[in-house]
Amino acid sequence: MTTPVCADASRAAAASTGHRRYPSFSSYVRARGPVLLRTARSLTANPSDAEDLLQTALTKTYVAWERIEDHRALDGYVRRALVNTRTSQWRKRKVDEFACEELPEREAAPAPDPAEQQSLHDAMWRAVLKLPDRQRAMVVLRYYEDLSEVQTADLLGVSVGTVKSAVSRALGKLREDPELGPVR
C-alpha cells in the first residue's frame, strides 16, 4: 500500500473508500448532518470547534458502523459520541485563566437585530455559553434536545439527582443574567 503524498489525497481516498464501503453511512450523514451539527454547536462555544467535534463523533460512528445493530438509534449513538468526545476535551483542557486585580473590559455587544425573536435567541445563546461546560451540556440536552432527566443522566453517565441540581443551578444563573432581563 502506498502512502498519499498530500493530506487532500489521503482524505479523498478515505472518503471514496468509505462511500463505497458504507453507502448507508454517507446517506445518514447527508440526511442528519445539519441536525447533528446543531447539537455539536450547542456543546461548544465556537462553530469551528463544533465542526471538529462532529467530525470526530462521525469518525467514531463510521468505525463502529458494522457493530451498530439498530440503525434507527443512530442519532442517539452519535449524540453520545459527541458528548463523550466533548467530555474528554474538558478533562484534557489547559486552564488559561489567571486571577487579576481588575476585570478586563467586556467586548461591546453586537448591534441588536431588528427581528425581536432573533435578538432574544442570540441573548439566550450568549447566556447559555457563559455556563460551565457540564451545566451547558445538561441544559442543552434537557431543553434544546428535549431529553428527560433520566435520558440526560444516562447520556452523561451521572445520576438523575446530579442532572436536577446542575440544571437548577444553571437556570438560576440564566435568571440572573442581565442580558435576559426583558425575558423575565
Side-chain angles (χ1 to χ4, degrees):
M1 182 171 130
T2 60
T3 304
V5 176
C6 70
D8 290 336
S10 175
R11 267 186 260 130
S16 65
T17 304
H19 181 68
R20 281 181 275 162
R21 187 167 179 199
Y22 300 123
S24 58
F25 177 79
S26 297
S27 298
Y28 171 75
V29 172
R30 273 193 303 278
R32 300 298 294 162
V35 172
L36 296 171
L37 181 58
R38 190 170 57 238
T39 301
R41 179 66 176 97
S42 300
L43 295 172
T44 64
N46 181 327
S48 298
D49 290 343
E51 291 172 1
D52 291 344
L53 178 63
L54 178 60
Q55 188 68 37
T56 302
L58 288 174
T59 301
K60 290 177 181 181
T61 304
Y62 178 81
V63 169
W65 193 254
E66 291 178 339
R67 295 189 315 257
I68 301 172
E69 294 176 11
D70 185 6
H71 281 225
R72 293 174 299 187
L74 283 171
D75 281 355
Y77 186 93
V78 175
R79 196 179 298 127
R80 179 67 186 199
L82 285 167
V83 171
N84 287 348
T85 302
R86 186 67 180 134
T87 300
S88 294
Q89 292 171 347
W90 297 335
R91 291 180 181 145
K92 293 177 186 175
R93 75 168 191 215
K94 183 176 88 175
V95 178
D96 290 333
E97 296 179 19
F98 303 97
C100 59
E101 295 282 329
E102 291 183 39
L103 293 175
E105 290 186 33
R106 289 184 139 174
E107 292 182 20
D113 189 1
E116 187 174 320
Q117 190 173 18
Q118 183 64 41
S119 176
L120 176 60
H121 180 267
D122 292 346
M124 180 58 76
W125 269 113
R126 283 191 301 273
V128 168
L129 291 174
K130 290 178 189 175
L131 295 173
D133 290 335
R134 284 184 62 119
Q135 285 182 1
R136 181 173 54 234
M138 290 180 192
V139 167
V140 165
L141 292 172
R142 281 286 290 125
Y143 297 104
Y144 285 89
E145 292 295 321
D146 202 25
L147 298 181
S148 69
E149 291 168 339
V150 173
Q151 290 170 319
T152 302
D154 288 343
L155 194 60
L156 294 173
V158 297
S159 71
V160 175
T162 300
V163 171
K164 288 180 180 182
S165 64
V167 168
S168 176
R169 283 191 303 274
L171 293 177
K173 289 179 182 178
L174 292 174
R175 283 186 199 101
E176 294 173 7
D177 193 297
E179 286 189 51
L180 298 178
V183 179
R184 292 183 204 126

